[in-house]
């Protein structure tokens, strides 16, 4: 941080969330909670078939139901001028209500608008459609052969192809990850309110108010500044709110049609079919090594599902190009179009899926070699980026291995599976590593110091839960040498200075750096007022100069020097499990995650971020699975009763540790991202621990008890 810190306003353990009190007292308002005069309510009707056409749709009964204002279908939907007239691969998200085609089960076929939510819900039950059914395909494994290489993910080769096959020690296995659904606590919701014919305000659940503004402006052919997007609080989002979905466009169109504000809140079931998910993915990894554990070759293939109308692509196999210093690597990625809705990034998109396979395979190799899994990774540690050849901007992964191994008591582990027991339970230890690009993009921050000493920080970025506002306040407090209580952070509004979408583990690096730069500029202004002296008595300086406030708006971006470095955040996860040999129940007893995420600017929220990601990875390993009945192409567990994810009782005390050494190049704080690495590698660590406990290698997630007995 800045060398000249005049006092130390931040406690060692970090700030508590600046918005914590608002959140726990219910004062924080989420998008569906705004009181908008004259608001009416929308409820979606989904297709009950999986592929085909709507033959006829009966809306009269619904239209005559009490309180109904409109029933929108493809037959009467108002023209959305920026919509393409077709759904085609690579032409963006699904366009609803444009024709009679059905691509997946649950696809919206109607939107009912009524004066109350209950009346809209009842009327929605009265909409009946007749269909012409076609044969659908929803089963990834049965359709692997129809996969193709998407234009954005070419096959990769370094050295010799399939070199692992010639190595003295080799393993080759297939790994499968089921579909996982984001399911944040807050349902996706929008209130759309036209203020004039060409001017609209939306309160929307989104990770990026500027991106939502751009998409709505484009769809309705409006100047962006005529679209006001507000999202000061977001109740969790792990990628599902990165893009603007059809229900948001539909609500805006409906509000125009009924000439009233429209509120549309997705149901929990809608959340499974309307806002993306982590796609069902099949992988095969081949690893070959010398007898002393030096990797000779890595071959990593993956096939993930996508929809028939959009080519969703993610970096599943990239981690195998990057993680270890293997001279020979080849990867192949395919997407398989199915009659499902389009997937979307979900925390550690691609990498979390790929790391499950690669880090499981490394564990399998460690047993084949009889080398400790940490030792195997150290022997193959990459000292520079194997893909670009560039030096790393910073990498402290070996320190992270050590910290985690010490904390979990790795020395207690036995290399012989099934050999440790406690109170009748089998005990096992596992670890898995992760990595994700450390990015920084552009952001602008306004910093305004008021006569009473209050510092306002303003930028449009949303805070979806990681503690962006808290990190901003921490950086500003240290930089300005003022108490955090005097800082007000204002976020999540498209009228504020531009910031990136919250995602890709880049917000603290990007927006934090903009806060840092803005504070620096503001301090310079005060220094000028002070005749070059360094005082932090800002109120006195304002008073002396008869000023109500002093304000700067600073645009900030990374330096060109970053091009000379490969920048990544790194993580390693350690898991201790207890497995009941009679019932197959797996209890995670200890979870330790260690992050090399540069300098930690906000220790409390950083620890929460890592713990949340670890819990998500435990869910991925042991519970989460969206199940389709392929006879009907329909989800059977699209609710919180049947779709399992960890609750308090499933999770032990999860610990987050940090190497906490600054990255010298990425940004002035030395911080790197941590949102994604928190999850990447966790599922493998759990699967590896289960193997260590039982000698059973489950290569198809989730590891449910039936697979262990
Ligand atoms: Mo994230 S998958 O960048 O929201």
């Amino acid at each position: 941080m800045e060398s000249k810190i005049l006092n130390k306003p931040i406690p060692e353990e970090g700030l508590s969330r600046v918005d914590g009190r608002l959140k726990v007292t219910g004062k924080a308002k989420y998008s569906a909670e705004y009181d908008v005069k004259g608001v009416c309510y929308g409820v979606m009707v989904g297709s009950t078939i999986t592929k085909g056409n709507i033959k006829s749709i009966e809306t009269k009964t619904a239209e005559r139901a009490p309180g109904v204002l409109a029933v929108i279908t493809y037959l009467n939907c108002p023209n959305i001028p920026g919509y393409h007239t077709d759904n085609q691969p690579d032409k963006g998200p699904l366009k609803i209500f444009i024709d009679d085609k059905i691509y997946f089960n649950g696809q919206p076929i109607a939107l009912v608008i009524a004066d109350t939510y209950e009346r809209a819900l009842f009327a929605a039950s009265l909409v009946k459609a007749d269909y012409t059914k076609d044969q659908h395909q929803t089963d990834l494994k049965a359709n692997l052969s129809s996969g193709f290489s998407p234009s954005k993910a070419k096959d990769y080769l370094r050295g010799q192809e399939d070199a692992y096959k010639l190595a003295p020690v080799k393993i080759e296995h297939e790994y499968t990850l089921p579909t996982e659904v984001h399911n944040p606590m807050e349902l996706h919701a929008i209130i759309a309110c036209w203020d004039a014919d060409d001017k609209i305000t939306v309160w929307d659940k989104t990770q990026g108010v500027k991106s939502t503004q751009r998409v709505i402006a484009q769809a309705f052919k409006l100047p962006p500044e005529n679209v006001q997007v507000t999202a000061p609080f977001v109740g969790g989002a792990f990628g599902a709110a990165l893009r603007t979905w059809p229900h948001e466009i539909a609500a805006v169109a409906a509000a125009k049609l009924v000439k009233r504000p429209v509120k549309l809140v997705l149901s929990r079931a809608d959340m499974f079919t309307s806002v993306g998910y982590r796609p069902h993915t099949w992988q095969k990894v081949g690893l070959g090594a010398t007898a002393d554990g030096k990797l000779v070759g890595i071959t990593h293939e993956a096939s993930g599902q996508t929809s028939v109308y959009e080519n969703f692509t993610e970096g599943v196999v990239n981690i195998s190009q990057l993680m270890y210093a293997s001279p020979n690597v080849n990867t192949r990625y395919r997407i398989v179009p199915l009659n499902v809705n389009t997937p979307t990034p979900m925390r550690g998109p691609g990498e979390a899926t790929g790391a499950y396979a690669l880090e499981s395979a490394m564990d399998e190799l460690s047993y084949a070699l009889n080398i400790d899994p940490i030792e195997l990774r150290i022997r193959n540690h990459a000292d520079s980026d194997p893909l670009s050849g560039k030096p790393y901007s910073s990498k402290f992964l070996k320190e992270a291995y050590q910290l985690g191994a010490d904390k979990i008591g790795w020395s207690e582990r036995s290399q012989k599976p099934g050999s440790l027991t406690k109170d009748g339970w089998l005990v096992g230890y596992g670890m898995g590593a992760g990595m994700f690009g450390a990015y920084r993009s552009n952001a602008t921050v306004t910093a305004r110091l008021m006569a009473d000493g209050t510092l306002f920080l303003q930028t449009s970025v949303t805070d979806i839960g990681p503690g962006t506002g808290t990190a901003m306040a921490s950086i500003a407090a240290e930089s300005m040498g003022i108490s955090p209580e005097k800082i007000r952070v204002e976020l999540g509004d498209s009228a504020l200075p531009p910031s990136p979408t919250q995602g890709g583990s880049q917000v603290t690096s990007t927006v934090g750096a903009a806060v840092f730069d803005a504070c620096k500029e503001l301090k310079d202004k005060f220094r000028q007022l002070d005749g070059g002296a360094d005082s932090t008595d800002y109120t006195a300086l304002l008073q002396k100069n008869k000023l109500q406030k002093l304000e700067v708006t600073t645009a900030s971006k990374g330096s060109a020097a970053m091009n000379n470095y490969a920048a990544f955040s790194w993580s390693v996860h350690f898991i201790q499990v207890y497995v009941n040999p009679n019932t197959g129940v797996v209890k995670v007893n200890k979870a330790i995650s260690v992050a090399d995420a540069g300098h930690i600017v906000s220790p409390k929220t950083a620890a929460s971020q890592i713990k949340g990601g670890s819990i998500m990875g435990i869910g991925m390993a042991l519970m989460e699975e969206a199940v389709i009945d392929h006879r009907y192409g329909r989800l059977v567990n699209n609710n919180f009763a049947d779709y399992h994810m960890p609750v308090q009782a499933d999770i032990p005390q999860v610990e987050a540790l940090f190497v906490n050494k600054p990255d010298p190049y990425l940004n002035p704080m030395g911080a790197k991202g941590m949102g994604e690495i928190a999850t990447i590698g966790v599922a493998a660590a759990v699967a590896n621990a289960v193997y260590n406990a039982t000698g059973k290698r489950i290569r198809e997630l989730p590891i449910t008890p039936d697979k262990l007995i």
Side-chain angles (χ1 to χ4, degrees):
M1 301 282 309
E2 185 81 330
S3 56
K4 190 115 186 179
I5 295 168
L6 300 169
N7 54 43
K8 196 94 183 86
I10 305 283
E12 199 62 36
E13 72 276 11
L15 283 188
S16 295
R17 275 176 202 275
V18 294
D19 50 3
R21 189 177 298 266
L22 290 176
K23 285 185 166 181
V24 298
T25 55
K27 289 213 177 74
K29 264 195 185 183
Y30 296 87
S31 56
E33 297 181 321
Y34 284 84
D35 254 333
V36 178
K37 201 169 168 291
V39 77
C40 53
Y41 299 79
V43 169
M44 298 268 221
V45 181
S47 162
T48 56
I49 68 156
T50 303
K51 185 186 179 193
N53 297 74
I54 301 169
K55 209 172 0 177
S56 65
I57 184 158
E58 205 281 292
T59 57
K60 288 275 169 297
T61 322
E63 280 160 6
R64 282 195 294 263
V68 172
L69 300 165
V71 180
I72 301 172
T73 70
Y74 79 98
L75 295 168
N76 67 342
C77 184
N79 180 39
I80 297 167
Y83 252 19
H84 299 283
T85 53
D86 208 351
N87 281 299
Q88 276 173 15
D90 290 330
K91 286 270 158 58
L94 178 77
K95 285 105 202 164
I96 53 171
F97 309 146
I98 61 167
D99 58 27
D100 61 352
K101 293 196 186 76
I102 301 297
Y103 304 98
F104 65 92
N105 206 295
Q107 177 185 326
I109 59 165
L111 174 61
V112 177
I113 309 291
D115 59 354
T116 70
Y117 170 70
E118 290 75 12
R119 285 171 149 184
L121 190 63
F122 173 65
S125 75
L126 303 174
V127 175
K128 295 279 178 279
D130 266 335
Y131 302 93
T132 317
K133 266 197 234 178
D134 292 333
Q135 184 59 45
H136 62 258
Q137 300 295 339
T138 53
D139 188 350
L140 176 72
K141 285 219 170 139
N143 287 278
L144 285 177
S145 61
S146 58
F148 63 92
S149 171
S151 53
K152 281 185 273 180
K154 289 285 164 234
D155 291 0
Y156 172 80
L157 173 64
R158 165 162 98 230
Q160 193 188 334
E161 192 167 334
D162 291 343
Y164 78 96
K165 289 184 176 167
L166 308 170
V169 181
K170 58 175 183 284
I171 58 112
E172 181 197 287
H173 292 292
E174 294 180 23
Y175 304 90
T176 312
L177 184 95
T179 288
E180 285 192 309
V181 184
H182 304 72
N183 275 321
M185 291 277 279
E186 184 200 18
L187 300 162
H188 282 239
I190 181 169
I191 302 173
C193 177
W194 288 88
D195 308 308
D197 260 359
D198 62 347
K199 215 164 170 296
I200 184 161
T201 299
V202 300
W203 293 264
D204 189 29
K205 170 159 185 155
T206 176
Q207 289 173 241
V209 288
K210 295 302 270 185
S211 110
T212 300
Q213 178 187 51
R214 209 161 41 238
V215 173
I216 292 177
Q218 197 271 333
F220 292 88
K221 297 272 187 239
L222 302 168
E225 63 275 15
N226 285 17
V227 180
Q228 161 65 31
V229 183
T230 306
F233 294 95
V234 177
F238 313 99
L242 283 173
R243 79 190 310 194
T244 304
W245 296 100
H247 73 271
E248 292 158 283
I249 301 294
V252 173
K256 186 139 227 182
L257 183 78
V258 301
K259 299 188 168 57
R260 278 172 69 170
V262 167
K263 180 192 289 195
L264 177 50
V265 183
L266 295 188
S267 67
R268 189 52 70 178
D270 289 338
M271 294 286 287
F272 284 75
T273 49
S274 301
V275 289
Y277 54 89
R278 194 194 297 283
H280 190 182
T281 303
W282 167 92
Q283 302 179 72
K284 187 159 107 180
V285 178
L287 297 179
T290 59
D292 63 350
K294 280 285 215 185
L295 281 168
V296 172
I298 304 176
T299 297
H300 190 164
E301 289 176 66
S303 290
Q305 74 180 40
T306 187
S307 66
V308 294
Y309 55 86
E310 201 175 7
N311 295 339
F312 174 75
T313 303
E314 60 181 0
V316 177
V317 295
N318 300 20
I319 194 158
S320 288
Q321 304 161 12
L322 294 162
M323 190 83 197
Y324 297 110
S326 174
N328 305 296
V329 176
N330 58 300
T331 67
R332 207 164 79 116
Y333 173 70
R334 299 285 179 268
I335 52 174
V336 180
L338 297 174
N339 294 111
V340 292
N341 55 313
T342 307
T344 211
M346 179 165 165
R347 203 171 195 168
E351 284 82 354
T353 306
Y356 160 58
L358 177 66
E359 290 296 283
S360 293
M362 283 295 279
D363 197 66
E364 304 215 38
L365 184 65
S366 77
Y367 287 95
L369 289 160
N370 198 23
I371 294 175
D372 178 276
I374 302 175
E375 177 58 28
L376 177 63
R377 284 166 175 82
I378 289 170
R379 288 188 196 175
N380 293 287
H381 184 265
D383 296 323
S384 59
D385 178 30
L387 187 68
S388 66
K390 289 177 186 177
Y392 293 119
S393 61
S394 62
K395 181 178 183 182
F396 303 104
L397 182 56
K398 285 182 187 168
E399 285 90 328
Y401 289 148
Q402 192 62 54
L403 279 172
D406 290 348
K407 192 77 188 181
I408 197 139
W410 190 253
S411 56
E412 306 292 311
R413 171 186 177 272
S414 163
Q415 179 77 6
K416 189 167 175 290
S419 58
L420 288 183
T421 58
K422 186 160 190 245
D423 303 332
W425 293 69
L426 297 164
V427 180
Y429 294 79
M431 51 85 62
M435 66 185 297
F436 196 80
Y439 304 110
R440 174 176 173 190
S441 62
N442 305 340
T444 301
V445 164
T446 294
R448 180 186 309 122
L449 215 134
M450 309 302 291
D452 68 353
T454 305
L455 174 68
F456 284 91
L457 298 170
Q458 298 175 316
T459 191
S460 63
V461 75
T462 61
D463 186 347
I464 63 176
T468 301
T470 310
M472 288 173 66
S474 303
I475 292 165
E478 265 199 54
S479 172
M480 301 289 294
I482 63 178
S483 161
E485 283 92 68
K486 299 296 268 182
I487 298 176
R488 303 280 174 273
V489 180
E490 294 180 355
L491 302 175
D493 192 306
S494 61
L496 295 172
S499 264
T501 291
Q502 173 82 253
S505 298
Q506 61 144 338
V507 166
T508 298
S509 173
T510 301
V511 177
V515 168
F516 185 93
D517 288 351
C519 289
K520 194 156 180 274
E521 202 180 325
L522 190 58
K523 276 188 298 183
D524 283 345
K525 271 198 160 182
F526 273 107
R527 205 171 290 129
Q528 282 164 20
L529 286 185
D530 204 14
D534 256 319
S535 160
T536 52
D537 196 348
Y538 304 117
T539 48
L541 283 169
L542 288 174
Q543 220 168 31
K544 204 169 91 189
N545 290 275
K546 300 194 168 39
L547 292 169
Q548 286 307 304
K549 62 177 183 189
L550 204 55
E551 170 180 322
V552 296
T553 293
T554 308
S556 169
K557 62 174 194 222
S559 76
M562 270 317 286
N563 295 330
N564 304 325
Y565 298 95
F568 296 97
S569 295
W570 308 87
S571 61
V572 57
H573 310 279
F574 288 85
I575 297 284
Q576 186 201 46
V577 291
Y578 283 17
V579 182
N580 187 308
N582 302 315
T583 61
V585 164
V586 177
K587 282 203 301 200
V588 176
N589 188 52
K590 277 189 203 170
I592 314 282
S593 287
V594 193
D596 165 15
H599 169 71
I600 303 303
V601 301
S602 177
K604 269 194 200 176
T605 57
S608 293
Q609 176 79 325
I610 294 292
K611 290 175 192 175
S614 168
I615 293 165
M616 205 171 207
I618 293 169
M620 178 193 276
L622 300 177
M623 293 176 198
E624 295 200 41
E625 177 178 22
V627 179
I628 294 177
D629 182 334
H630 297 301
R631 292 172 301 172
Y632 310 106
R634 188 183 306 154
L635 283 161
V636 295
N637 61 344
N638 54 350
N639 57 73
F640 271 177
D642 298 315
Y643 183 92
H644 292 178
M645 59 182 101
V647 297
Q648 293 292 355
D650 299 309
I651 296 298
Q653 200 73 36
V654 176
E655 284 192 62
L657 303 176
F658 298 103
V659 177
N660 202 7
K661 289 188 182 167
D663 183 292
Y665 305 107
L666 191 59
N667 53 55
M669 303 84 65
K672 300 192 283 189
M674 65 177 75
E676 329 273 344
I677 55 163
T679 293
I680 299 167
V682 177
V686 176
N688 298 343
V690 169
Y691 176 76
N692 186 247
T694 63
K696 286 189 180 134
R697 182 67 68 174
I698 309 304
R699 302 190 182 90
E700 185 150 15
L701 297 183
I703 305 171
T704 45
D706 55 299
K707 294 177 184 169
L708 285 169
I709 51 173

